[in-house]
Amino acid sequence: MVRLAPSILSADFASLGDDITTVTPQADWLHVDVMDGHFVPNLTIGPPVVKSIRHHTRLPLDCHLMMTNPGEYLGSFREAGADRCSVHVEVGDTAKLCAQMRDLGLGVGLAVNPETPFEAVEPWLGHIDLLLVMTVHPGFGGQRFMAEVVPKVAAARAAIAAGGHDVLIEVDGGIDAETVGEVARAGAEVFVAGNAIFGHDDPVAAAAELRRVAEAATA
Ligand code: DX5
Ligand code: ZN
């Protein structure tokens, strides 16, 4: 089953509620990119914005925490209304962070950067609900998809099947109508897209086209 998660990073923050309403007919989740200016060289938003969005939509809020110290904020994100969070494997403390997310009632996500090998996340497949495979270097929207990451998606799909794990594979970065088919065939099921949706004159039509291509690739 294909799930689309529009990334609000590419929305207009001055009309965020309207932009969310616009994409809702084609959105399964909303992807919320939290950047701390430290783990990545960019700053975005935090729990207060998640709280405002929560009052505006029933869509599951999928919070991608590009932060050095996510453990200090997980409770705030949960209180604000996040449904699931993904922390980066590169920050370490993975066992503790996964347990913390589980205890808070959050969906447990683990994100992995393009240069980090699959072996870094493999031991955690039995402990998580979502593996977020970055297909760009995190930090900015609108970057070019890194096709060299596709084998990692395929390796994750094979390991999840072999281990009988219940883990969704999400891909994030440079996903558009040209690239979505390749990652869908490799085993991704949740597709984050910012620029390809909100950068389009007709965001709903763009999202519908992404869904159509992803579904066709896996039919
Ligand atoms: C990048 C973010 C992505 C970003 C994707 O660091 O994690 O979620 O919004 O944007 P596009 O789809 O434009 O590459
Ligand atoms: Zn993201």
Side-chain angles (χ1 to χ4, degrees):
M1 181 187 155
V2 168
R3 292 172 177 83
L4 278 192
S7 166
I8 61 164
L9 184 60
S10 299
D12 180 350
F13 285 162
S15 54
L16 189 52
D18 291 344
D19 282 11
I20 290 170
T21 301
T22 299
V23 296
T24 294
Q26 277 296 331
D28 298 293
W29 301 356
L30 274 185
H31 186 78
V32 180
D33 284 306
V34 178
M35 305 187 186
D36 69 351
H38 188 69
F39 181 72
V40 289
N42 197 3
L43 277 173
T44 56
I45 57 175
V49 177
V50 172
K51 189 175 174 189
S52 296
I53 298 171
R54 181 72 294 160
H55 292 309
H56 186 82
T57 182
R58 295 176 142 177
L59 288 171
L61 300 181
D62 172 42
C63 296
H64 177 192
L65 307 186
M66 287 161 273
M67 312 176 72
T68 303
N69 55 347
E72 290 174 36
Y73 297 92
L74 286 168
S76 303
F77 280 106
R78 183 57 173 152
E79 263 172 47
D83 293 280
R84 57 182 60 80
C85 286
S86 294
V87 300
H88 270 264
V89 70
E90 293 84 8
V91 303
D93 260 345
T94 304
K96 193 173 153 202
L97 291 168
C98 288
Q100 200 182 340
M101 287 187 274
R102 191 70 73 202
D103 288 348
L104 286 165
L106 287 162
V108 179
L110 189 61
V112 56
N113 280 341
E115 64 277 14
T116 303
F118 173 63
E119 289 68 32
V121 291
E122 191 168 21
W124 304 107
L125 293 178
H127 303 269
I128 62 177
D129 305 311
L130 180 74
L131 180 66
L132 200 181
V133 179
M134 291 306 300
T135 42
V136 298
H137 294 293
F140 300 91
Q143 301 183 77
R144 201 181 59 82
F145 174 77
M146 296 171 69
E148 58 269 41
V149 180
V150 173
K152 192 192 291 181
V153 175
R157 169 54 49 219
I160 288 166
H165 301 300
D166 191 11
V167 177
L168 289 170
I169 301 177
E170 178 175 39
V171 284
D172 182 9
I175 302 298
D176 60 21
E178 300 293 312
T179 59
V180 72
E182 188 180 357
V183 271
R185 274 190 298 277
E189 306 152 286
V190 186
F191 303 90
V192 175
N195 208 47
I197 294 178
F198 290 107
H200 202 277
D201 288 346
D202 186 343
V204 179
E209 175 65 2
L210 276 180
R211 187 186 298 279
R212 189 191 66 74
V213 176
E215 283 174 350
T218 49

